[in-house]
Amino acid sequence: MIFIDACFRKQTPYTPIWLMRQAGRYLSEYQELRKQAKDFLALCSDVHLASAITLQPVEILNVDAAILFSDILVLPHAMGLPLEFAPQIGPRFLETVRTLEQVKALYSHAYKRLTYVYDTLTSVRARLDKDKALIGFSGAPWTLATYMIEGQGSKTYHHSKKMLYSQPEIVHALLEKLTSELIAYLSKQIEAGANALMIFDSWAGALELEAYLTFGWAYIQKITHALKAKHPNIPLIVFPKGVGAYLAHLSGEFEVFGCDWGTPLAMAKEILGDRYVLQGNLEPARLYNQEAMIQGVARILNTMGKDPGFIFNLGHGMLADLPRAHAIELVSLVRQKSRR
């Protein structure tokens, strides 16, 4: 698999490419399947529909890897927090976790409740071309904790930060519980057929350096250490969004570091490029305009050259109204311009 080879810095015939949020609303095929489920959680838990959606971008865009169609919040939901996806609002927990008693009340071994995730991975792997990789994923402990504490996405992280500085023992207890579940959850994804794993820390940039290293990165390190000990041949990708200024302080047992669009790729290459394969980081909005997209691709490939230690991706997820024709062209363009 070209994608897996690139994760281990092996020579590949071109720079592999896949796109975060590559299965989604910009595809009419996704919109049609979405109508068959009563809500988003039902869509994620329907193995037939989730498998078909996972495969759509591979079939339509010809990307080098599929990524499981699911959501980072299915694990907290399985731990006992009622979850809904409200129109125009997004995911929202109907209960929050703000006391030690509430942390203790969360279900242990919740990963065992997520059999539909593993069944989807097994189904996709059986149908996916052998030269295409299948990526499993989860949210990072800090990002999941913020959702569980706040109840939904936040601009200020008021409750999370207040607890972090005034009652850190509660936050650490929640992070420890999440970390234990995530190690088991991701291990089960590997056993179900995932060829690589990605950990999304979407709210990493909400914290100052010292706090992030203590409450965010330290727990990612625990997860990657445990996974590499058990599954040394499965590449791990980490994506801490918004921490470009912290790169010199980040290290761990993983193969690929995902760069968001706010992190200059040349800087990431200078600081991390000798230790990790880089992934990223085209600004998704460039896909609205063909010329802007072409310029962005040229700049990234000029920065990385023919370096085998690079995987092309966006610097965040596909937007709902991006032209699908441009996404198709992007994949073809990267493959053509990076051919060895």
Side-chain angles (χ1 to χ4, degrees):
M1 298 177 191
I2 289 174
F3 174 82
I4 300 299
D5 285 346
C7 289
F8 290 114
R9 208 185 288 268
K10 296 179 181 178
Q11 285 290 343
T12 57
Y14 56 84
T15 296
I17 176 173
W18 69 280
L19 310 176
M20 286 186 281
R21 216 179 287 152
Q22 62 189 11
R25 289 174 290 174
Y26 76 102
L27 295 175
S28 58
E29 292 88 346
Y30 168 84
Q31 299 280 21
E32 287 301 310
L33 290 179
R34 175 71 180 81
K35 295 175 184 176
Q36 298 182 35
K38 66 176 181 178
D39 56 35
F40 187 75
L41 273 177
L43 188 64
C44 291
S45 60
D46 186 308
V47 174
H48 172 73
L49 292 177
S51 298
I53 292 170
T54 300
L55 288 163
Q56 280 178 346
V58 180
E59 298 164 349
I60 297 168
L61 308 182
N62 194 29
V63 286
D64 292 296
I67 185 167
L68 167 72
F69 179 77
S70 187
D71 194 272
I72 63 172
L73 300 183
V74 297
L75 180 63
H77 179 55
M79 294 174 76
L81 286 188
L83 174 65
E84 68 174 15
F85 286 80
Q88 312 306 320
I89 296 175
R92 178 170 59 190
F93 287 113
L94 305 183
E95 299 173 9
T96 56
V97 178
R98 297 180 185 173
T99 68
L100 196 56
E101 290 70 27
Q102 288 172 322
V103 173
K104 292 178 180 178
L106 293 169
Y107 297 141
S108 297
H109 307 296
Y111 69 93
K112 294 181 179 179
R113 296 170 166 228
L114 295 169
T115 53
Y116 63 85
V117 171
Y118 317 132
D119 290 345
T120 298
L121 285 164
T122 300
S123 171
V124 171
R125 186 61 270 173
R127 297 162 60 187
L128 191 62
D129 288 347
K130 291 182 179 180
D131 63 339
K132 305 288 188 181
L134 175 57
I135 305 170
F137 74 91
S138 76
W142 164 248
T143 288
L144 297 183
T146 61
Y147 273 110
M148 298 167 79
I149 294 167
E150 302 290 337
Q152 61 188 60
S154 172
K155 293 182 179 179
T156 63
Y157 310 93
H158 171 75
H159 298 288
S160 304
K161 290 189 175 186
K162 182 178 180 180
M163 286 176 61
L164 185 150
Y165 291 111
S166 61
Q167 296 176 297
E169 68 282 358
I170 299 177
V171 179
H172 278 302
L174 178 56
L175 293 168
E176 287 285 0
K177 195 158 193 173
L178 283 166
T179 297
S180 177
E181 292 290 338
L182 287 166
I183 291 169
Y185 178 48
L186 290 168
S187 291
K188 290 286 286 184
Q189 290 190 33
I190 294 171
E191 293 167 9
N195 306 115
L197 296 173
M198 185 161 174
I199 300 172
F200 290 87
D201 208 355
S202 304
W203 308 137
L207 296 177
E208 62 181 354
L209 174 59
E210 182 181 359
Y212 182 63
L213 293 178
T214 301
F215 292 90
W217 192 252
Y219 289 95
I220 289 178
Q221 288 179 310
K222 287 186 178 184
I223 293 170
T224 58
H225 175 75
L227 290 173
K228 293 312 292 186
K230 188 175 182 181
H231 306 282
N233 297 321
I234 298 296
L236 304 179
I237 310 163
V238 297
F239 181 66
K241 186 174 180 290
V243 295
Y246 306 166
L247 295 187
H249 301 271
L250 305 181
S251 62
E253 298 172 68
F254 55 89
E255 282 73 29
V256 183
F257 187 91
C259 300
D260 62 74
W261 56 263
T263 300
L265 199 56
M267 180 181 75
K269 182 180 180 181
E270 180 180 353
I271 298 172
L272 299 176
D274 62 336
R275 290 180 288 147
Y276 304 111
V277 169
L278 299 181
Q279 176 177 275
N281 71 338
L282 186 69
E283 153 70 280
R286 281 185 174 271
L287 271 71
Y288 285 120
N289 178 270
Q290 185 183 43
E291 186 58 34
M293 179 184 74
I294 292 171
Q295 290 173 356
V297 169
R299 184 177 63 190
I300 288 172
L301 292 181
N302 286 341
T303 297
M304 298 307 299
K306 303 283 186 176
D307 191 339
F310 182 56
I311 296 165
F312 201 102
N313 206 315
L314 302 179
H316 200 234
M318 286 287 288
L319 301 168
D321 60 342
L322 289 174
R324 64 181 284 155
H326 290 179
I328 294 170
E329 182 182 359
L330 172 64
V331 175
S332 176
L333 185 66
V334 169
R335 196 161 286 153
Q336 173 191 342
K337 296 293 186 182
S338 67
R339 193 163 294 280
R340 319 295 192 216

